[in-house]
Amino acid sequence: MTGRLARPKGLGLGLRSVAGQVFALQAVIVVVLVTVGALALIFQTRYDSEREARNRSLAAAEAFAHAPGLIDALKTPDPTAVLQDRAETARRAAGLDFLAVMTPDGIRYTDSRPELIGERTTGDIARARAGESFTEIFTGEPTDAVRAIVPVRTEDGDIVGLVGTGIEIENVGNVVEGQLPLLLGTAAGALLLAVGGAALVSRRLRRQTHGLGPLEMTRINEHHEAVLHAVREGVLIIDADRRLLLANDEARRLLDLAPDAEQRHVTELGLGPGTAALLASGRAATDEVHRAGDRLLAVNVRPTEPYRGRPTGTVMTLRDTTELATLTGRAAITRGRLQLLYEAGVRIGTTLDVVRTAEELTEVAVPRFADFVTVELLEPVLRGEEPSGAYTEMRRTALTGTRDDHPLQPVGDAIRCVVPTTPMARALDGGHAVRVTDLHTAEGWQAQDPEGATAALEYGFHSLLAVPLLARGVVLGMANFWRADTPEPFGEEDLSFAEELTARAAVSIDNARRFTREHTMAVTLQRSLLPRVLPELSAVDVAFRYLPAKAGVGGDWFDVIPLPGARVALVVGDVVGHGLHAAATMGRLRTAVHNFSTLDLPPDEILGHLDELIDRIDQPEAGDADGGSKTDGIDGEGAQPRDRMTGATCLYVIYDPADGRCTLARAGHPGPALVHPDGRVEFPELPAGLPLGVGGMPFESTELRLPEGSRLVLFTDGLVEDRERDFDAGIVLLGEALSRPGRSPEQACADVLTALLVPAPDDDIALLVADTRRLDPERIAQWDVPADPSAVGRVRNAGAAQLAAWKLDDIAFTAELILSELITNAIRYGAEPIRVRLLRDRRLICEISDGSSTAPHLRYAATTDEGGRGLFLVAQFAERWGTRYTERGKVIWAELPLTTGAGPEAAVHSLAPDLDALEDLAW
């Protein structure tokens, strides 16, 4: 048959055939390997089981020996009663066979076998008594086991007991026996699989050889020779005597071999020393790089298969990698730099903190680009201000290096560039990076600080890149890249890379600087709009805390406003948003609250006025072309729309110390916490109310009667909730922090912040803690007045007697005058019931209430008028006066200082001959 290779007949897997011998050899090897492997697995499994038993016993003993309360239990009169159940629980949890607590002499306090309690343990425990923890294979009574013994130490190091744990040898062996069927089954399966695989390989070999004869093999050899000399890879075949048998054309070209090189020893071929030594040694090599003239060759050496037990030689292949190595090296460097720039974009600027951003630049560049990196920034940049043109002095802000024992100036030092020829000064003046390949030749740098330069050179610093930090064309500072451990100096490519790296960092630093400036401005504005000093009041003792958010100042605020009648208003509010707008909005709302509070309105009406005010402010103003928001700043294209004020919440509380009444109303704000005198914390339910500016629903007030000595706590939601804690969980923590009795308001504020404050709050926090007080009943006097003008004198006399009892004779005449005028006005123009109340607080307060809602008006009477001068006199001689409305009428009040000079009283005497005559001059 032409063109086909004839297959010999009768070829099978007999031992005389190559395929049969291969099969037999593989079968024997497989059997041996599987047997050895199975035995090794058995022994290894037993060893692992023992080791696991040791580790588990020692870990359990250590854990129980250091368990809280163990030493105290050992000191009790009956340690067994205390420890037996605990020991059994720990033993079962750890999966042990026994766990015993013993005296230092080995007497058992506890044991898994109760009959052994009180018995001395067997075996050598001297090492444990000496303070050493150990494990051992114990043989003896009561059972053989893998045992661990650990001493129990006191804080002084004294050994007061021992803890012994372990697993019985029988149970350790059971683990191995339990795995034995699986191991044997696996071995049998592997044996069958390997034998079957060997049979398939041998059969495949028989089919592929086809019983080729010499002619066919010669033809194949000719084909191989043709291929050998055609490939673009050098091939050398060396015999066992290290003589060259064959070299293809590519090998001759790469190694520049002589035409008669065959049969020469490898040391006589003119090869390089390394290449000749490699061929002479006969060792294998993979892609080793050897130089041949101006070429770099990748060399692979493999020994050939031995023939009849003797080595036959080696085969070497050669590849020219000169250009490939150059390109690969450049590509690797470029890829590394691109990766580093990518990481810089991700890692630099993660926070809006100037110092941290500078530190991130140094951390990115060390050690993959430089051994040490320092960053110096101008002082205005650190403060968030716009940098000035002078940059001869900067502050070292960040420093990172491969070692800590460097001679560089530490962070915080002032860095001065007074010598104009230093690399730093030239970089700042030119606005571009300056490279110094050898610091030994940098005369300007050495002249700047001779002592420091000498120390740096001795340390090993040899190369420097000084790069200015530029953003928007303005110098923020500079970064210096140093090499000490890396032997290569900085190159030209390093220069451009450093500029790109610092340019990215400079943008982040400038962003952080701008944020710092705006944050500082917002904090300054916020603090200027908040109360700096709270008024001293008899009604409450107040402490407060305000903390701006790390991300930016918000619109939280609080206030304590004195009200007539010794009352006080406590206010807490929150404007949604952050920044200058929120702070400014907060100031407008706080001012409005103060103005509305002067009207002495109930809390729900004040919130209603605030809501109406915000609605009115947010209405489109005249001049808006489309009825939309008005624009601030420059008109025309690009103008920004004015921000709206909506999204504010508020809690308004009025407390009256005369009777302990507390009136509250809220607009979308969390209600207060009420701490009772016994420490019980309550969060009263209040009508929720919509936030200010939403509109549509009226606000409702709630009235509470506070026990004497109660504490009111007002707060914003930033205190109790954040990203990782919801509102309800924060309220629970707040209640726990406020429940500690005997704490002053200042101490209560500190307790609350300690319990609830997170390291970086996302929102502002405003906290107001007010301890309420009651006015002493002896400081309050009140009378019911009939609607009869003759009653004025009686009430005035009663008031004079009360003033004398209070030792306020200095102001008695003025007080009687004001009291007479206000009572006369109520009788003539008011309605019953009429009541007079005098309060002696920090001022004397006169209050006359009646059932009429008609408001009095101050007017100037003509010289011919018989009346109309009553309120004029009140306004002249009272420190303050006013009117507030109640549900069933009004209250006219006037305040006088507790002491006064002779001037007002003399003026009164000049205006009126006596008080009875003045009553006719009233409204």
Side-chain angles (χ1 to χ4, degrees), residues 238 242 266-267 271-290 297-302 314-318:
I238 312 298
R242 304 293 179 259
V266 293
T267 58
L271 304 177
T275 308
L278 175 61
L279 289 175
S281 66
R283 67 178 176 85
T286 302
D287 286 338
E288 288 190 9
V289 178
H290 290 259
L297 304 180
V299 178
N300 291 274
V301 178
R302 292 291 184 273
T314 56
V315 176
M316 172 189 281
T317 59
L318 311 167

Side-chain angles (χ1 to χ4, degrees), residues 20 71 107 194 217 219 228 400 477 620 740 745 813 855 903 913:
I71 295 176
I107 304 301
M217 294 299 297
R219 290 172 55 190
L228 181 65
T400 300
R740 299 178 60 186
F813 190 86

Side-chain angles (χ1 to χ4, degrees), residues 211-242:
L212 295 177
L215 180 60
E216 288 80 4
M217 294 299 297
T218 301
R219 290 172 55 190
I220 292 175
N221 183 62
E222 291 175 351
H223 296 162
H224 289 175
E225 286 286 338
V227 172
L228 181 65
H229 292 285
V231 296
R232 299 295 298 173
E233 185 169 307
V235 178
L236 297 178
I237 299 177
I238 312 298
D239 65 9
D241 297 330
R242 304 293 179 259

Side-chain angles (χ1 to χ4, degrees), residues 388-400:
S388 62
Y391 41 76
T392 56
E393 181 174 336
M394 293 175 287
R395 184 73 56 185
R396 177 148 291 170
T397 309
L399 190 158
T400 300

Side-chain angles (χ1 to χ4, degrees), residues 283-584:
R283 67 178 176 85
T286 302
D287 286 338
E288 288 190 9
V289 178
H290 290 259
R291 183 174 293 278
D294 57 350
R295 296 188 180 93
L296 292 177
L297 304 180
V299 178
N300 291 274
V301 178
R302 292 291 184 273
T304 59
E305 290 292 335
Y307 177 70
R308 294 183 179 180
R310 293 180 298 176
T312 56
T314 56
V315 176
M316 172 189 281
T317 59
L318 311 167
R319 276 196 327 275
D320 189 354
T321 62
T322 305
E323 296 180 358
L324 179 62
T326 302
L327 294 175
T328 302
R330 291 179 179 175
I333 294 174
T334 303
R335 183 169 59 252
R337 296 291 167 81
L338 290 174
Q339 180 66 25
L340 191 56
L341 285 176
Y342 170 77
E343 292 184 14
V346 174
R347 294 173 55 185
I348 298 177
T350 57
T351 65
L352 289 173
D353 182 82
V354 173
V355 175
R356 180 56 193 151
T357 305
E359 292 172 350
E360 289 169 345
L361 169 60
T362 64
E363 292 168 0
V364 166
V366 175
R368 287 190 289 173
F369 179 67
D371 299 324
F372 293 86
V373 178
T374 62
V375 175
E376 293 79 42
L377 297 178
L378 297 174
E379 291 286 356
V381 175
L382 293 172
R383 297 192 298 267
E385 301 173 1
E386 190 73 22
S388 62
Y391 41 76
T392 56
E393 181 174 336
M394 293 175 287
R395 184 73 56 185
R396 177 148 291 170
T397 309
L399 190 158
T400 300
T402 56
R403 290 179 284 169
D404 297 331
D405 57 343
H406 56 79
L408 298 174
Q409 291 179 253
V411 172
D413 275 15
I415 307 298
R416 298 175 177 86
C417 300
V418 295
V419 178
T421 57
T422 61
M424 297 78 172
R426 288 190 288 125
L428 292 172
D429 289 337
H432 56 78
V434 173
R435 177 171 61 103
V436 180
T437 57
D438 187 0
L439 287 173
H440 292 83
T441 63
E443 298 179 357
W445 173 70
Q446 297 181 32
Q448 172 94 5
D449 182 10
E451 184 177 346
T454 301
L457 293 174
E458 291 176 354
Y459 185 79
F461 287 100
H462 62 85
S463 187
L464 166 67
L465 280 178
V467 188
L469 288 166
L470 297 172
R472 302 174 290 107
V474 178
V475 174
L476 306 177
M478 70 178 311
N480 295 311
F481 301 87
W482 309 80
R483 280 188 178 174
D485 300 329
T486 305
E488 296 82 8
F490 288 109
E492 286 292 337
E493 295 180 353
D494 297 326
L495 198 66
S496 58
F497 173 77
E499 289 181 334
E500 177 67 22
L501 183 62
T502 53
R504 299 190 180 197
V507 173
S508 298
I509 291 175
D510 191 52
N511 290 338
R513 178 196 64 80
R514 293 180 177 220
F515 172 80
T516 301
R517 180 187 61 186
E518 293 188 6
H519 186 267
T520 302
M521 293 172 58
V523 169
T524 303
L525 175 62
Q526 178 85 338
R527 294 193 182 279
S528 68
L529 295 174
L530 289 173
R532 298 183 180 181
V533 179
L534 297 182
E536 295 185 5
L537 302 170
S538 300
V540 289
D541 181 15
V542 182
F544 67 91
R545 293 291 188 276
Y546 171 75
L547 297 176
K550 294 295 183 182
V553 171
D556 292 13
W557 94 91
F558 62 92
D559 220 329
V560 179
I561 305 173
L563 297 179
R567 297 170 304 139
V568 63
L570 305 175
V571 191
V572 170
D574 183 5
V575 175
V576 176
H578 295 86
L580 292 173
H581 172 69

Side-chain angles (χ1 to χ4, degrees), residues 812-822 873 877 908 915 918:
F813 190 86
T814 305
E816 291 179 45
L817 169 63
I818 293 175
L819 195 61
S820 297
E821 294 302 331
L822 295 181
L873 293 175
F877 300 111
V908 172
L915 295 179
L918 288 174

